[in-house]
Amino acid sequence: MAKKVCIVGSGNWGSAIAKIIGANAAQNPKFDNVVNMWVFEEMVDGRKLTEIINIDHENVKYLPGRKLPDNVLAVPDLAEAANGADILVFVIPHQFIGRVCDTIKGKIKKDALGLSLIKGVDEGPDGLKLISDVIQEKLGITVSVLMGANIANEVADEKFCETTIGSKNKTDGALLKELMQTKNFRITVVEESDVVEICGALKNIVAVGAGFCDGLGFGDNTKAAVIRLGLMEMIAFTRLFCTAGPVSPATFLESCGVADLITTCYGGRNRKVSEAFAKTGKSLEELEKEMLNGQKLQGPATAAEVHHILKLKDLLDKFPLFTAVYEICYQGRPVSEFIDCLQNHPEHM
């Protein structure tokens, strides 16, 4: 039986992925030709967004100027979109995952396979909770993750890039690679899915720091230091919280690690908004509304979740970069003090 795919989400990244999945599903008999995409219904120039996507095959709000394949079907009702799906691809802001899972709980196939493209973490009672774990617990399905140096518009324009799938099950990993890989979107599958996922979340905190650095007018040397020190904190944090087994440094050399970190610190919305924050003194909420056209910032929210966990474990002093990003975003610490955290980093003591 051909496997039915549902994409849960239709923002900038969701639409770029729909372009790939739709094209691959149309020519691979392993997958059902029709790919459902859940679209949060909104009006754009007097028309429903689902109607625009289904008639004009373009997400004019979140991925303007790029055609979506005709076999991608926009569905405004989440339970209907996910009904009968064998593969559920989650690509929504991490703040909404709980609500989304509650909506489809008990209404999906028991043996469905989940794939999370969501960059962020959740706070659990004992600290950090991975989004894939939230999905797995709420829906009772196996979840793999996909993370990498993938700025959505460039992926949609079919510019060459790499990405990483983290899957504890080799068969699932191979099937998902077949669904997603193209000649310009090259995939490596690794088993350390929790490390892949934590990289995807933490790099957004470092990107906020890179944006501060740009907004304050420091050059590329300083930004390189932010990226390196940020990577060291990412590795240290991952080692603290992935207690299931040793964390291999090799995973950080995959696209989900250092490559994603670099691209996010030079492109990406977290860097852009944080630069404006340092230059204008406006609040993050104001800038998010002004600059992101309905998209969400992930870096500050992730910094808040990570801060909570580090505070519980009394480890804030070991993570000065993550801590400074949190304090600047939420506690009114002057952005000009960001460089102090680099000068006095434990790496330099």
Side-chain angles (χ1 to χ4, degrees):
M1 273 278 288
K3 295 194 179 297
K4 202 164 170 35
V5 183
C6 168
I7 300 167
V8 179
S10 57
N12 184 234
W13 186 212
S15 299
I17 280 300
K19 205 171 165 253
I20 288 178
I21 291 177
N24 280 356
Q27 50 191 292
N28 186 333
K30 262 191 198 172
F31 304 104
D32 192 280
N33 184 53
V34 177
V35 173
N36 283 356
M37 176 167 76
W38 172 58
V39 175
F40 181 79
E41 191 69 279
E42 48 190 314
M43 300 301 284
V44 180
D45 299 329
R47 292 172 71 196
K48 288 179 174 173
L49 185 55
T50 50
E51 196 181 287
I52 297 171
I53 293 171
N54 289 335
I55 294 169
D56 304 339
H57 306 294
E58 184 187 343
N59 187 336
V60 290
K61 179 158 185 186
Y62 297 108
L63 193 68
R66 286 95 172 171
K67 281 284 179 229
L68 294 173
D70 298 0
N71 60 323
V72 172
L73 179 69
V75 182
D77 182 281
L78 175 55
E80 187 189 324
N83 184 27
D86 298 289
I87 298 173
L88 292 157
V89 179
F90 294 90
V91 52
I92 50 173
H94 79 279
Q95 299 90 319
F96 304 139
I97 191 62
R99 242 179 302 167
V100 158
C101 288
D102 289 341
T103 306
I104 56 175
K105 197 175 179 168
K107 297 175 184 168
I108 56 166
K109 284 189 166 179
K110 287 193 167 39
D111 60 349
L113 176 59
L115 177 67
S116 172
L117 277 64
I118 300 171
K119 293 180 174 175
V121 287
D122 206 13
E123 256 177 68
D126 313 317
L128 179 87
K129 194 158 206 193
L130 298 175
I131 299 297
S132 61
D133 289 339
V134 174
I135 299 171
Q136 204 151 346
E137 281 172 25
K138 283 189 179 274
L139 300 180
I141 60 174
T142 316
V143 186
S144 299
V145 297
L146 180 146
M147 308 275 152
N150 308 139
I151 288 176
N153 290 354
E154 295 180 16
V155 173
D157 291 338
E158 296 174 32
K159 293 177 173 163
F160 178 83
C161 71
E162 300 175 313
T163 201
T164 312
I165 285 178
S167 183
K168 293 187 174 85
N169 178 312
K170 284 201 162 85
T171 315
D172 292 349
L175 179 70
L176 293 166
K177 178 171 179 168
E178 204 172 328
L179 175 66
M180 317 280 285
Q181 179 158 275
T182 71
K183 68 180 197 306
N184 288 316
F185 191 67
R186 306 308 291 179
I187 296 172
T188 306
V189 181
V190 301
E191 278 182 46
E192 285 191 329
S193 58
D194 43 2
V195 179
V196 172
E197 188 169 0
I198 289 181
C199 283
L202 297 180
K203 54 102 200 186
N204 282 328
I205 307 178
V206 186
V208 171
F212 291 160
C213 184
D214 290 342
L216 294 166
F218 290 91
D220 284 339
N221 295 346
T222 311
K223 191 139 105 177
V226 169
I227 291 171
R228 190 191 76 82
L229 292 167
L231 180 63
M232 299 315 280
E233 291 193 16
M234 283 169 63
I235 294 171
F237 188 93
T238 306
R239 291 207 160 123
L240 268 177
F241 293 96
C242 288
T243 47
V247 170
S248 128
T251 307
F252 294 94
L253 298 176
E254 294 292 348
S255 183
C256 60
V258 70
D260 194 9
L261 180 61
I262 292 167
T263 198
T264 312
C265 288
Y266 278 91
R269 64 185 94 152
N270 290 283
R271 189 217 63 80
K272 189 170 78 173
V273 174
S274 305
E275 178 182 19
F277 175 82
K279 279 183 171 163
T280 64
K282 288 181 181 176
S283 76
L284 286 168
E285 291 77 15
E286 267 177 279
L287 292 165
E288 188 178 64
K289 282 196 183 90
E290 270 174 39
M291 299 173 72
L292 293 186
N293 184 31
Q295 288 178 278
K296 290 281 174 223
L297 263 190
Q298 304 289 29
T302 305
E305 276 140 12
V306 163
H307 184 266
H308 177 76
I309 292 156
L310 292 173
K311 197 172 173 179
L312 279 178
K313 301 203 180 250
D314 200 21
L315 287 168
L316 290 173
D317 55 335
K318 299 254 190 308
F319 294 86
L321 192 148
F322 287 179
T323 302
V325 167
Y326 169 78
E327 289 174 350
I328 291 164
C329 290
Y330 292 102
Q331 295 187 327
R333 184 176 177 182
V335 70
S336 55
E337 288 181 14
F338 181 64
I339 300 303
D340 299 352
C341 90
L342 306 181
Q343 291 164 337
N344 302 314
H345 202 282
E347 281 269 308
H348 301 143
M349 295 307 175

